[in-house]
Amino acid sequence: MADNIAALVAEYGRPEDVIRLVDRPRPAPEPGIVEIAVERAAINPSDLIPVTGAYSNRTVLPFVPGFEGVGIVSRIGAGVTGLKPGDRVLPLGASGLWQAYLQRPAEWCFAVPGDLSTEQAATAYVNPMTTLRLSAAVKEHFGGLSELIGLRIGVTAAGSAIGRMLLKTLAAEGARVTALVRSEGTAGSLGTLVDAAPIVTGPQALDADIVFDAVIDAVGGDVGGALLRNNLSGGGLFLQYGALSGIPIAQDAISARTDVRFSFLWLRSFVHSAGRAALGIALEQCFDGIRRGTLSSAIAATYPLSRLDEALSHHLASGRAGKILIDPRC
Ligand SMILES: NC(=O)c1ccc[n+]([C@@H]2O[C@H](COP(=O)([O-])OP(=O)(O)OC[C@H]3O[C@@H](n4cnc5c(N)ncnc54)[C@H](OP(=O)(O)O)[C@@H]3O)[C@@H](O)[C@H]2O)c1
């Protein structure tokens, strides 16, 4: 039986320092469990946060990182129905994709349509579903809108995978979207994704005459705090879903805006409460968005798992031109 090569985190720290490649046993799947031969896994910022120990209250060491990827069912435990060896699936709801063979309960595995490529399938879940949840949250805030016509929405870290999906998705629903980025280089890379010129954010606050009805923020820190204080209209929505700056938004910026709604959105909360039927519907929406191009990801490079250190360096490089994928089969 082939070995199970895995990336393993046995202690918290900088991902480049603490993630080790190990050979793990490959036991037969227990009843209700599916073994998946992983074909591709994505590297997302959210994979690295637990490695640092940031979620140590809900992380058990050791663990294999990787919340997103696609693979082929290789073995099934007793009692598994609806899946068989050879089926291509997305395993959801837990980390563990950065290894050659993953075991997950069958109810957390979802079939992938045959028309999606391996790369599309490996990036079909985390960012597309988060984008759809963010769009739905904006609609809900403004009274259950069916579209976003005319709403002025600022999107920070607009060059990220989710940022690009938001630019396309929100504009397709009629919103007037402004891309907020941290460098001229990233602004230039957005090309036809934007109608209005992107705004490069820096130490200076934006002009107060730039006003948004909603800000969707993945940066936090000073950039997010300044947008919340100065550039959100009364009754507006500040929706935070990431903190790429590594710094939370200052509490006094939040307290100063009693006239707006400040909220967080975590995909995890939805995934662990929605139930299988709702997750299946959400995934179908993701697949449709990928086919239309609104929820697709550019791929910057694919590395074998054996070169994970290079993959992580590339992932952390500024100005990276898309997602980094891992092929755990080599
Ligand atoms: N809440 C949730 O459930 C949820 C789900 C998924 C993802 N997320 C979060 O969403 C964010 C984006 O994820 P992703 O997969 O789309 O990222 P990604 O494609 O890996 O891109 C991240 C990009 O953000 C930009 N960036 C990094 N630090 C920045 C900073 N301090 N200020 C401004 N821009 C910065 C960089 O672009 P440049 O180098 O071009 O400037 C970087 O390439 C992450 O924070 C992630 O944790 C949250």
Side-chain angles (χ1 to χ4, degrees), residues 43-47 49 55 68 126-127 129-131 134 156-165 180-183 185-187 189 201 217-220 223 240-246 264-269 298 315-324:
I43 300 182
N44 290 312
S46 48
D47 295 321
I49 299 171
Y55 302 143
E68 183 174 45
V126 171
N127 289 334
M129 204 179 283
T130 303
T131 300
L134 290 166
T156 67
S160 68
I162 294 190
R164 288 168 193 265
M165 291 176 194
L180 303 159
V181 294
R182 66 172 170 177
S183 74
T186 301
S189 76
T201 55
D217 177 50
V219 173
V223 168
Q240 197 179 16
Y241 70 100
L244 285 161
S245 63
F264 293 97
L265 184 140
W266 305 121
L267 179 64
R268 182 178 189 279
S269 308
H315 168 80
L316 295 169
S318 180
R320 159 173 54 78
K323 280 285 153 202
I324 305 301

Side-chain angles (χ1 to χ4, degrees), residues 21-229:
L21 290 183
V22 297
D23 195 356
R24 302 187 94 198
R26 217 187 128 192
E30 297 284 331
I33 301 293
V34 168
E35 182 194 66
I36 299 149
V38 180
E39 290 188 292
R40 290 285 191 288
I43 300 182
N44 290 312
S46 48
D47 295 321
L48 302 182
I49 299 171
V51 179
T52 66
Y55 302 143
S56 57
N57 58 337
R58 61 168 192 249
T59 311
V60 178
L61 291 172
F63 72 96
V64 177
F67 286 104
E68 183 174 45
V70 65
I72 305 291
V73 172
S74 44
R75 293 186 291 174
I76 58 173
V80 171
T81 55
L83 285 175
K84 60 183 185 318
D87 288 349
R88 190 167 66 143
V89 292
L90 289 175
L92 267 50
S95 77
L97 269 297
W98 295 2
Q99 63 184 324
Y101 293 95
L102 165 71
Q103 293 204 359
R104 288 289 287 143
E107 67 260 29
W108 282 102
C109 297
F110 291 80
V112 190
D115 63 320
L116 296 191
S117 70
T118 306
E119 286 72 20
Q120 287 174 321
T123 51
Y125 157 48
V126 171
N127 289 334
M129 204 179 283
T130 303
T131 300
L132 293 175
R133 301 305 303 163
L134 290 166
S135 169
V138 175
K139 288 177 187 161
E140 189 182 322
H141 173 78
F142 289 101
L145 302 176
S146 57
E147 289 185 307
L148 298 168
I149 293 175
L151 278 183
R152 299 161 298 178
I153 305 179
V155 173
T156 67
S160 68
I162 294 190
R164 288 168 193 265
M165 291 176 194
L166 283 169
L167 297 181
K168 289 184 269 191
T169 301
L170 301 176
E173 304 222 31
R176 290 154 57 194
V177 191
T178 302
L180 303 159
V181 294
R182 66 172 170 177
S183 74
E184 293 289 352
T186 301
S189 76
L190 296 178
T192 56
L193 287 183
V194 285
D195 288 333
I199 296 176
V200 178
T201 55
Q204 309 278 6
L206 300 190
D207 291 346
D209 61 359
I210 299 173
V211 179
F212 301 115
D213 301 304
V215 171
I216 304 181
D217 177 50
V219 173
D222 291 343
V223 168
L227 286 165
L228 174 58
R229 281 179 199 280

